[in-house]
């Protein structure tokens, strides 16, 4: 059965059996923190449970590689809104070992796009409009460095309140073990 059908069947039973009652919380994070991490499937639950967060404890922002690719893009906006409007008082940037965005082969991604019908003409049009597709799709070489780079992007953002601690972590997606890249309390103003 197609996935959406499965989802809708499950959802009807979920509502009917009032399973949502176990998940009721507020929009304010109990731990007063926002976590930026990767969309990796191994981190779906591990990224919060290995940190001791339960449902409702933390705002979670996820994308490919736990990366802020643009200072005025949606990831940065989410972090700022979490701080200024949704009750977060600390930021945690958590990359992970064995990330799919580490050493991503951009040319291979572009080749796959072409094999699925994206034409050179389209790619050229995008390039001519000022978008560097290689840069747009690019991952990172080193996860520790990527976490540090993202911390700096936030810290130096003109709209960021530098009294907010930014912690940098790398998690092992196999067992949840954390490595501290930056203790944010040591760098707040
Ligand atoms: Zn990843």
């Amino acid at each position: 059965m197609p996935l959406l059908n499965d989802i809708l069947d499950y959802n009807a039973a979920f509502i009917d059996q009032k399973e949502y009652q176990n998940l009721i919380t507020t929009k304010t994070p109990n731990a007063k923190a926002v976590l930026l991490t990767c969309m990796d499937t191994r981190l779906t639950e591990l990224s919060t449970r290995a940190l001791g967060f339960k449902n409702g404890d933390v705002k979670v922002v996820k994308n490919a590689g736990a990366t802020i690719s643009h200072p005025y893009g949606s990831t940065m906006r989410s972090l700022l809104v979490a701080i200024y409007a949704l009750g977060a008082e600390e930021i945690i940037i958590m990359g992970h070992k064995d990330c799919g965005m580490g050493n991503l082969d951009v040319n291979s991604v572009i080749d796959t796009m072409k094999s699925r019908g994206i034409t050179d003409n389209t790619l050229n049009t995008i390039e001519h409009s000022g978008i560097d597709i290689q840069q747009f799709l690019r991952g990172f070489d080193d996860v520790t460095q990527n976490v540090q780079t993202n911390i700096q992007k936030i810290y130096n953002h003109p709209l960021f309140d530098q009294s907010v601690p930014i912690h940098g972590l790398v998690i092992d997606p196999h067992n949840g073990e954390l490595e501290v890249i930056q203790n944010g309390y040591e760098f707040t103003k």
Side-chain angles (χ1 to χ4, degrees), residues 122-147:
T122 296
L123 294 170
N124 290 336
T125 301
I126 293 168
E127 292 278 355
H128 285 136
S129 73
I131 306 284
D132 181 338
I133 295 174
Q134 290 274 343
Q135 189 64 30
F136 171 62
L137 293 171
R138 203 183 160 272
F140 51 81
D141 300 327
D142 178 79
V143 65
T144 298
Q145 190 181 2
N146 191 53
V147 169

Side-chain angles (χ1 to χ4, degrees), residues 38 40 96 99-100:
C38 183
D40 192 295
H96 69 100
C99 184

